[in-house]
Amino acid sequence: MRYDASGSATASPTDIAALEQQICNSTRAAAKQLYQMVEAGGTLAQVASAALLKADSDCGNAASKAYDFALSTVDSNDPADLPATREWFIKFADASDAVGIPTCITLVIVDPTAEVVLWTETIHTGSQL
């Protein structure tokens, strides 16, 4: 499925460029900053989303690595942490929507013993296209 994004906000180009540079040059340090910026929400989360997209096109796989490292902070693989994990992804999708980046995230809880999906939720920007 594809979703649109409102693009109702403009993140600071200077802040985006600074974070993109950090993503390209120091992936692990950038991951911590990405996590914290999304956690803060609002304009900081918008900068994080926009910088990830920009770094993805300018810095090879550095953006993917930074995102993966940030996710390791968010997702503990413990179902008890689901509310906090879910909230972080909602903030990320809201920020992405605001800066016009279509985003779709699916959260899943799987019973590893029975290999059965116990729960799913899709968090996304805008409306389905």
Side-chain angles (χ1 to χ4, degrees), residues 14-86:
T14 303
D15 293 344
I16 293 168
L19 183 55
E20 177 195 10
Q21 196 65 21
Q22 186 173 11
I23 292 168
C24 296
N25 295 331
S26 180
T27 306
R28 284 197 185 267
K32 182 177 180 181
Q33 190 169 355
L34 285 168
Y35 168 77
Q36 292 170 341
M37 292 174 80
V38 172
E39 185 67 22
T43 56
L44 289 174
Q46 292 167 11
V47 168
S49 177
L52 268 175
L53 180 65
K54 184 121 176 53
D56 188 51
S57 63
D58 294 346
C59 303
N61 65 354
S64 294
K65 285 182 179 180
Y67 182 74
D68 287 345
F69 291 145
L71 291 185
S72 68
T73 303
V74 175
D75 184 10
S76 67
N77 288 322
D78 182 346
D81 294 335
L82 180 61
T85 301
R86 183 179 176 276

Side-chain angles (χ1 to χ4, degrees), residues 81-99:
D81 294 335
L82 180 61
T85 301
R86 183 179 176 276
E87 188 61 32
W88 192 89
F89 281 109
I90 288 170
K91 289 177 183 178
F92 184 77
D94 288 349
S96 297
D97 186 59
V99 294

